[in-house]
């Protein structure tokens, strides 16, 4: 897949690329006042605003549509910022191109739908306009990659992925679950593809945005898309998560960026990978403990039938000696294994005692 580096389509780019602007384009005045403040923040290079809004329920504000596109053009003309908006179908693409929007993005609900993504890809053929592909709302890396591939096959090389978290039915701290291992795996599969984090849609609440920005930087992501509004509380969509341009400036100052060659640069990603390995080993340990317990139960039943006590000291001493010897051979601390096997053994005895009591009750009936 051919991917043009961010620095080739954003002049004088400094890491991280900052994309900011309101969730929705509400009015010309709101757009321009927000943009005038944002352009004062050196790192902000792209102004975002939703022109068409995919809302969960009908009756919410669904965007101003075409009427708002000249506002975006005005922002560009007055501030020099690049502009961007979401497109969800061929007609959106056509209009965004007509009004000279610089960068398009595909929203999370659209990325989940290959028909819509293909329709957009077909409408984009021959343009090579930059396109950022948000992850689909469901945690499906293949679907995310598929949407990126559809853009690529339409001849788009100025590509980026946006990580905005995944929809979840569980009650969690965030509006959308970040599941960081998914963008990390995307990076491993497509090392050239820039990844931008959208902490606003992950967080859902403005007080969580800063910590997510830091996390994204620690994972070496290339940029941040942060929703900002001149008066967030009064925003027509996503009021709880938008921040003022002033707050954004402070947040960006507070970020600690690891330099390109610091050994910590990929620390979090590596940690995440190793923890994944630990999770897999632990699953195996628990499965083995379950297999062990199944055998213990079989023995329990045989002991009950033969009127033998659950605890047999000789067997226990032998077992402990053998396990400690195995541990020693592998370079593990023998005391650690001894303590562990005391727990394992006590639980086995408890289980067998239980089986025997049940057995006796049945016999007495
Ligand atoms: C947005 O960026 O305003 C938006 C609708 O985001 P998402 O597609 O991530 O929900
Ligand atoms: Mn939004």
């Amino acid at each position: 897949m051919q991917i043009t580096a961010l620095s080739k389509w954003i002049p004088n780019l400094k890491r991280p690329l900052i994309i900011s602007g309101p969730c929705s384009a509400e009015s010309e005045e709101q757009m321009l006042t927000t943009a005038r403040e944002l352009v004062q923040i050196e790192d902000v290079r792209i102004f975002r605003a939703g022109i068409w809004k995919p809302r969960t329920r009908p009756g919410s504000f669904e965007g101003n549509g075409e009427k708002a596109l000249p506002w975006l053009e005005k922002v560009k003309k007055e501030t020099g910022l690049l502009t961007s908006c979401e497109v969800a179908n061929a007609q959106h693409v056509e209009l965004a191109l007509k009004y000279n929007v610089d960068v398009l993005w595909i929203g999370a609900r659209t990325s989940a739908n290959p028909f819509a993504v293909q329709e957009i890809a077909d409408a984009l053929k021959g343009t090579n306009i930059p396109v950022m592909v948000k992850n689909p709302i469901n945690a499906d890396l293949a679907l995310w990659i598929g949407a990126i591939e559809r853009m690529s096959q339409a001849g788009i090389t100025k590509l980026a992925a946006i990580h905005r978290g995944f929809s979840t039915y569980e009650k969690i701290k965030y509006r959308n679950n970040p599941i960081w291992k998914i963008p990390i795996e995307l990076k491993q599969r497509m090392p050239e593809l820039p990844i931008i984090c959208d902490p606003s849609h992950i967080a859902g609440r403005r007080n969580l945005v800063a910590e997510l920005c830091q996390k994204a930087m620690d994972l070496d992501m290339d940029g941040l898309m942060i929703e900002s509004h001149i008066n967030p509380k009064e925003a027509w969509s996503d009021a709880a998560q938008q921040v003022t341009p002033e707050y954004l400036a402070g947040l960006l100052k507070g970020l600690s960026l690891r330099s390109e060659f610091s050994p910590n640069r990929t620390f979090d990603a590596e940690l995440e990978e190793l923890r994944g390995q630990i999770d897999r080993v632990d699953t195996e340990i628990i499965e083995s403990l379950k297999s062990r317990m199944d055998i213990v139960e079989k023995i329990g039943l045989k002991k009950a039938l033969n009127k033998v006590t659950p605890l047999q000291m000789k067997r226990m001493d032998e077992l402990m000696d053998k396990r400690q010897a195995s541990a020693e051979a592998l370079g593990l601390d023998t005391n650690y294994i001894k303590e562990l096997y005391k727990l394992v053994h006590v639980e086995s005895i408890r289980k067998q005692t239980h089986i025997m009591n049940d057995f006796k009750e049945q016999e007495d009936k």
Side-chain angles (χ1 to χ4, degrees), residues 225-240:
M225 180 192 258
I226 303 169
E227 284 187 341
S228 60
H229 192 286
I230 204 71
N231 187 2
K233 288 198 181 106
E234 300 299 320
W236 298 0
S237 57
D238 289 350

Side-chain angles (χ1 to χ4, degrees), residues 103-319:
V103 179
L104 306 179
W105 86 79
I106 298 181
R109 289 158 193 80
T110 308
S111 296
N113 177 354
F115 289 130
V117 174
Q118 192 57 52
E119 178 184 320
I120 294 167
D122 293 341
L124 285 170
K125 272 195 189 120
T127 65
N128 205 8
I129 186 172
V131 179
M132 305 185 291
V133 182
K134 285 199 172 195
N135 64 260
I137 41 173
N138 51 321
D140 185 338
L141 177 59
L143 198 55
W144 195 2
I145 290 177
I148 295 161
E149 283 170 344
R150 285 179 201 275
M151 293 303 121
S152 175
Q153 284 176 9
I156 303 294
T157 65
K158 294 166 190 156
L159 282 165
I162 301 179
H163 171 232
R164 49 79 78 200
F166 301 92
S167 185
T168 168
Y169 192 63
E170 309 286 308
K171 274 260 162 296
I172 59 166
K173 177 176 169 186
Y174 302 119
R175 176 181 176 191
N176 287 293
N177 190 353
I179 321 185
W180 299 101
K181 66 174 188 240
I182 295 183
I184 289 168
E185 198 176 329
L186 178 64
K187 189 85 199 163
Q188 283 162 350
R189 299 241 210 126
M190 300 180 154
E192 306 300 316
L193 182 73
I195 302 187
I196 289 156
C197 182
D198 170 350
S200 305
H201 288 88
I202 295 176
R205 283 188 283 146
R206 60 189 132 264
N207 62 338
L208 298 175
V209 170
E211 65 181 55
L212 288 163
C213 290
Q214 185 59 56
K215 172 82 180 173
M217 291 300 94
D218 294 348
L219 288 178
D220 198 27
M221 291 192 177
D222 302 276
L224 300 166
M225 180 192 258
I226 303 169
E227 284 187 341
S228 60
H229 192 286
I230 204 71
N231 187 2
K233 288 198 181 106
E234 300 299 320
W236 298 0
S237 57
D238 289 350
Q241 73 196 28
Q242 301 200 59
V243 300
T244 60
E246 187 190 354
Y247 181 95
L248 176 69
L251 181 161
L252 295 176
K253 276 209 187 85
L255 283 182
S256 61
L257 295 182
R258 290 170 178 150
S259 73
E260 200 179 351
F261 298 108
S262 144
N264 268 343
R265 188 173 175 231
T266 50
F267 170 73
D268 271 359
E270 285 166 0
L271 199 63
E272 202 99 9
E273 162 58 24
L274 291 170
R275 284 182 173 154
Q277 289 179 21
I278 290 217
D279 288 348
R280 287 191 285 279
V281 172
D282 280 347
T283 306
E284 284 169 19
I285 293 177
I286 290 170
E287 284 167 1
S288 296
L289 285 171
K290 161 76 177 128
S291 306
R292 190 184 196 282
M293 195 53 89
D294 289 346
I295 302 168
V296 163
E297 283 177 25
K298 280 188 198 153
I299 296 178
L301 211 53
K302 289 196 186 300
K303 282 183 178 172
L305 280 164
N306 292 286
K307 303 207 182 311
V308 173
T309 55
L311 180 65
Q312 294 170 294
M313 286 313 285
K314 188 164 167 284
R315 166 67 183 154
M316 180 170 154
D317 291 343
E318 263 174 28
L319 185 146

